[in-house]
Amino acid sequence: MRTMLVTALVIVTSAAPATAQDMACPVRAGANLASRASPLDSTSFAVGAATVKICYGRPSLKGRTMIGGEAVPYGTVWRTGANETTKLITTAPLMVGTIELPAGMYALYTVPGESEWEVIVNKSYEQWGRENTYTDSVRAQELGRTSAKVEPVATAIETFTIRGEPLPGGSAHLILEWQNTRIRVPLTTKK
């Protein structure tokens, strides 16, 4: 009887969901993170009662024009970072702009433009992040698209950065910034 109770406790304990900030960023099996030119990073922040975690690769400019250049052309789906797809993890239902998300893990893509970006949230997050893997079957798993205006940045931002900016009332902005570009995507808890 005691063995069954301990076994049941282990099963229940291991099935309990972790908070987003405690979750490890998923990477490909056997990936050598130390040898990457664009390091894996993450950021966690609160949006109301939800914890949001973003896992992404952080490419650097290294003297190149990236946004609007050959690597990240305007009007083309971008993995929004480097290496694996950028992951958005939320512990509670959330609105990303106009997109409703249940709690879970998603891929975050963007379509950069000169004055506005399209932000895409997709249920398919396991494929490698290269844009040519954004196939029709991956596209069919989109939860939605929302737009964000471009804010020019006077001083170039060398390394791609994603961060949360808390706002009054428990909402936040998801900020993506790189080169001379910044976008803000509103995040609110789903009512």
Side-chain angles (χ1 to χ4, degrees), residues 70-174:
E70 187 177 322
V72 185
Y74 291 135
T76 302
V77 172
W78 178 43
R79 71 185 105 173
T80 316
N83 307 312
E84 293 88 357
T85 58
T86 294
K87 314 289 189 295
L88 182 152
I89 304 164
T90 178
T91 59
L94 192 67
M95 294 292 297
V96 176
T98 58
I99 307 166
E100 291 185 29
L101 298 184
M105 185 180 326
Y106 305 93
L108 187 67
Y109 288 92
T110 52
V111 179
E114 288 185 62
S115 60
E116 187 174 86
W117 286 27
E118 212 172 9
V119 177
I120 305 166
V121 179
N122 195 302
K123 291 183 281 188
S124 178
Y125 58 82
E126 294 180 352
Q127 69 278 0
W128 188 248
R130 291 212 181 270
E131 290 69 22
N132 64 1
T133 64
Y134 205 79
T135 61
D136 289 340
S137 63
V138 173
R139 184 175 285 109
Q141 296 183 62
E142 286 183 11
L143 282 154
R145 293 179 179 223
T146 193
S147 60
K149 297 283 184 206
V150 168
E151 298 175 19
V153 177
T155 304
I157 298 166
E158 174 65 23
T159 303
F160 178 61
T161 302
I162 299 178
R163 60 187 174 88
E165 177 183 71
L167 297 171
S171 61
H173 279 137
L174 178 64

